[in-house]
Amino acid sequence: MSKTICLLVLTVAALAVAAKFPKWHELEGYTFEQYIADHNKVYSAEELLARKAAFENRLATVRAHNANPGFSWKRGINHMSDWTHEEKNSMKGYDKNIGHAMRTKRAKVVSNVPNKQEDSENATLPQYVDWRDLGVVTPVKDQGQCGSCWTFATAETAESHYAIATGHLGELSEQHVLDCVPNPLQCGGQGGCSGGTVELAYSNLLLPGTGGMVSEWTYPYRSYFGDAFQCSFNRSRTAVFANITGYVTLPTNKYKPLMIAVATLGPIAISVDASAWHDYESGVFNGCNQTNPDIDHAVQLVGYGTDEKLGDYWLVRNSWGPKWGEKGYIRIYRSDSEEGRCGEDITPRDGEGCADGPPQVEVCGTCGILFDSVYPTVSK
Ligand SMILES: *[C@@H]1O[C@H](CO)[C@@H](O)[C@H](O)[C@H]1NC(C)=O
Ligand SMILES: *[C@@H]1O[C@H](CO)[C@@H](O)[C@H](O)[C@H]1NC(C)=O
Ligand SMILES: *[C@@H]1O[C@H](CO)[C@@H](O)[C@H](O)[C@H]1NC(C)=O
Ligand SMILES: *[C@@H]1O[C@H](CO)[C@@H](O)[C@H](O)[C@H]1NC(C)=O
């Protein structure tokens, strides 16, 4: 069974490498037939019609957007361009209710590292930060069709903080977090693929809980197609690669603390509304619904900067593979008045089934970027 899954993953990965992604200016006359050939997609006659309709709709939207010079970002065609709404939703996985419950318990969070924010309140921040330049960020990953974004943001951010502390950059296991972090509030379904939060993960990875993070090669990712697996971690057999000693949750909906943290401490796990990101190709994105942002995704903030033509941006790493966006990254519009850019997240649907019911929450920043930010502390 696991061999079959492995082969499938390899096949898909090989196809993805061969697939062409036409650039936004190459879409004149681009057809569905060309698209399925470029992406090696095979559909039954029945499905073909629905996919073709979805693709043509998307292509029209993409071309209309790109024809408007007023936008600071381009839309493109990628492997998701003929997907249904449900298929796109399966690629996220942030559970608001768990996040809410964790935040209300924030006072109990332990951390061995003092929060330096107050000391540096008036510090001058650099104009440009990109932690990739310091060699503490692993290559872009692909969560596949599993709502495991929260495990990716957890692992990626621990990788970076461990590398900053020790000089050793290694890939940490998402599958370990996915399989072994319990969801005591029973929110949003049964499996790790149906969502969680970074706080939930770190709080369970502290000793004596699940017990540290193991490397990717001792516990590899295999939920690419959304399958759930039993926890198979055995501490007496698998060495922990990085011990998590605590985690820090930044003040919600605040701009300066997030800027200071990403400038001085390292990459930060953040939550966002990614529902309008699927066809992002390049540029500084500003296409989120700011009235009612729907926080549904966890990603990694790795820096910020200013584009000469397009203005200030946050630099964000996604987990939808290196061919999405700008080599797997997205630049998101940033301004120092982000704190005043607030909306209400009103979709209680996410995480339904929690005992304490769905909260309606105020969410600030472009795509809700200031809402829920976390980083781990690690031991050397
Ligand atoms: C930061 O600057 C403000 C205004 O100059 C000052 O009141 C405050 O004490 C400073 N904070 C710190 C931690 O130095
Ligand atoms: C964990 O591994 C040890 C050593 O191989 C073994 O003795 C023990 O039974 C394992 N525990 C579980 C729960 O599988
Ligand atoms: C993690 O913590 C355990 C228990 O304190 C310790 O035995 C182990 O050596 C630590 N591992 C690393 C990689 O720091
Ligand atoms: C934002 O989302 C809300 C709730 O789904 C919707 O009613 C509204 O029309 C959306 N606004 C825009 C500009 O898309």
Side-chain angles (χ1 to χ4, degrees):
M1 186 60 191
S2 70
K3 261 192 183 150
T4 313
I5 289 167
C6 198
L7 187 64
L8 280 175
V9 170
L10 287 174
T11 308
V12 169
L15 292 179
V17 168
K20 276 190 226 131
F21 284 59
K23 287 290 165 200
W24 67 269
H25 51 81
E26 298 166 347
L27 293 174
E28 172 90 50
Y30 194 63
T31 61
F32 178 64
E33 288 67 31
Q34 186 64 46
Y35 173 69
I36 55 174
D38 284 349
H39 289 262
N40 290 293
K41 292 185 182 240
V42 179
Y43 295 126
S44 69
E46 203 180 334
E47 192 181 358
L48 196 71
L49 286 178
R51 295 287 176 186
K52 184 171 177 173
F55 171 82
E56 285 175 351
N57 203 322
R58 187 64 6 217
L59 181 63
T61 308
V62 165
R63 294 195 57 195
H65 171 92
N66 293 339
N68 184 338
F71 288 113
S72 59
W73 75 101
K74 296 297 181 191
R75 295 189 187 278
I77 290 298
N78 58 34
H79 59 295
M80 296 176 278
S81 301
D82 65 349
W83 285 15
T84 62
H85 185 65
E86 287 68 34
E87 284 170 324
K88 289 179 192 166
N89 265 347
S90 72
M91 295 188 68
K92 290 175 277 187
Y94 173 95
D95 191 309
K96 269 187 286 261
N97 281 337
I98 305 176
H100 177 75
M102 295 302 294
R103 273 190 306 282
T104 59
K105 288 189 202 145
R106 195 184 308 163
K108 287 187 193 151
V109 169
V110 286
S111 168
N112 296 341
V113 168
N115 193 338
K116 292 192 189 124
Q117 312 234 337
E118 272 154 37
D119 308 343
S120 46
E121 187 191 325
N122 297 332
T124 317
L125 294 173
Q127 291 296 305
Y128 167 88
V129 173
D130 182 347
W131 286 96
R132 287 177 295 185
D133 297 345
L134 286 112
V136 296
V137 180
T138 56
V140 167
K141 309 183 192 201
D142 189 349
Q143 69 187 79
Q145 290 177 33
C146 165
S148 50
C149 64
W150 59 288
T151 68
F152 281 79
T154 296
E156 290 161 7
T157 308
E159 285 161 1
S160 296
H161 283 261
Y162 188 75
I164 291 164
T166 66
H168 300 297
L169 180 65
E171 301 225 14
L172 296 175
S173 171
E174 288 84 21
Q175 197 71 44
H176 170 226
V177 179
L178 200 57
D179 296 351
C180 304
V181 166
N183 181 348
L185 301 173
Q186 295 292 308
C187 297
Q190 289 76 43
C193 279
S194 60
T197 67
V198 174
E199 286 99 331
L200 178 73
Y202 287 142
S203 63
N204 276 281
L205 291 163
L206 303 172
L207 289 167
T210 309
M213 298 199 70
V214 302
S215 63
E216 171 68 21
W217 46 268
T218 57
Y219 203 139
Y221 191 58
R222 55 180 188 146
S223 285
Y224 190 91
F225 295 105
D227 301 309
F229 298 93
Q230 293 285 318
C231 178
S232 59
F233 174 63
N234 181 335
R235 196 180 300 167
S236 56
R237 290 169 64 178
T238 307
V240 164
F241 186 88
N243 282 328
I244 305 296
T245 55
Y247 66 95
V248 175
T249 304
L250 299 178
T252 192
N253 293 331
K254 294 285 179 213
Y255 177 77
K256 200 73 193 282
L258 183 57
M259 286 289 282
I260 294 170
V262 74
T264 61
L265 300 171
I268 308 292
I270 57 169
S271 67
V272 289
D273 173 358
S275 55
W277 288 17
H278 288 89
D279 56 16
Y280 167 77
E281 183 187 283
S282 57
V284 174
F285 185 78
N286 196 5
C288 280
N289 182 331
Q290 296 297 142
T291 315
N292 294 118
D294 180 12
I295 298 292
D296 58 5
H297 197 38
V299 287
Q300 188 188 29
L301 179 66
V302 301
Y304 59 82
T306 303
D307 183 289
E308 241 172 54
K309 291 193 191 120
L310 306 175
D312 293 350
Y313 61 83
W314 300 102
L315 180 63
V316 171
R317 170 192 185 174
N318 201 355
S319 49
W320 293 350
K323 295 221 166 185
W324 175 86
E326 296 184 333
K327 298 189 164 72
Y329 283 72
I330 180 170
R331 285 181 295 161
I332 297 174
Y333 174 87
R334 172 177 66 90
S335 91
D336 53 16
S337 54
E338 291 267 87
E339 264 179 38
R341 204 178 186 202
C342 303
E344 290 291 320
D345 187 331
I346 50 155
T347 38
R349 186 166 61 81
D350 303 44
E352 73 189 2
C354 282
D356 59 352
Q360 170 167 330
V361 285
E362 184 178 54
V363 169
C364 303
T366 310
C367 302
I369 200 164
L370 303 181
F371 179 59
D372 186 15
S373 311
V374 186
Y375 65 90
T377 56
V378 299
S379 67
K380 289 200 178 131

